[in-house]
């Protein structure tokens, strides 16, 4: 389901040679927040991820994120729960001006070796609006009730 309504921001994808035959990212259900990303590893060379090891897994695409948005690469909860596979840098940040291949930094926090095969839905991507702020240096910050309290200052109950 990749139909484009005129008011929707448009994500353009440029397929790389090793992405040939990989399905485009898509929302799996009508209310899905994320689109699943598939692994563009070679069919005859699946990626073996030993416990404790990490790997940068290709998606096979250059993404042109619309200006004013970012893509956040996040783990899939099923892979995390069943296999201990997660994204090391979650959420990974894809800038709207990035024109390289999007890759997913997976890490195996499980006890078993995990094999990533071509076409496997390995992670998901959420497109989110970004606000770029103006920055200035100031001599003092405004007063608040919280003040400098943090890191558990309000308790747990
Ligand atoms: O999971 C990720 C994270 C990043 N990137 C790409 C797209 C992103 O726009 C670029 C830079 O990412 P980031 O800013 O997180 O990395 P950095 O270490 O700060 O590198 P740079 O100095 O290139 O910004 O790398 C990915 O393909 N996958
Ligand atoms: Mg950066």
């Amino acid at each position: 389901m990749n139909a484009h309504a005129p008011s929707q921001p448009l994500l353009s994808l440029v397929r790389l040679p090793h992405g040939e035959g990989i399905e485009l990212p898509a929302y799996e259900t009508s209310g899905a927040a994320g689109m699943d990303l598939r692994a563009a590893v070679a069919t005859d060379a699946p990626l073996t991820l030993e416990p404790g090891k990490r790997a940068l897994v290709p998606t096979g695409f250059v993404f042109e994120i619309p200006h004013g948005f970012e893509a956040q690469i996040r783990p899939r909860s099923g892979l995390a729960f069943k296999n201990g596979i997660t994204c090391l840098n979650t959420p990974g940040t894809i800038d709207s001006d990035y024109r390289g291949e999007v890759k997913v930094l997976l890490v195996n926090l499980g006890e078993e070796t995990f094999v990533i095969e071509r076409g496997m839905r390995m992670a998901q991507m959420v497109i989110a609006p970004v606000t770029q702020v103006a920055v200035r240096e100031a001599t003092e910050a405004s007063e608040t009730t919280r003040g400098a309290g943090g890191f558990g200052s309000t308790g747990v109950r």
Side-chain angles (χ1 to χ4, degrees), residues 56 73 89 91-98 100-105:
L56 211 43
I73 310 287
N89 57 331
T93 304
I94 311 299
D95 303 289
S96 66
D97 58 354
Y98 177 65
E101 180 179 15
V102 170
K103 296 181 181 175
V104 177
L105 181 48

Side-chain angles (χ1 to χ4, degrees), residues 8 10 30 36 41 56 65 75-76 79 82-83 89 105-106 109 116 137 141 145 149-150 154-155:
Q8 264 182 319
L10 180 63
S30 61
D36 286 345
V41 294
L56 211 43
I65 312 284
R76 292 186 68 201
L79 288 177
K82 291 179 202 150
N83 307 102
N89 57 331
L105 181 48
L106 292 181
L109 300 182
I116 298 153
E137 187 169 339
T145 306
T154 64

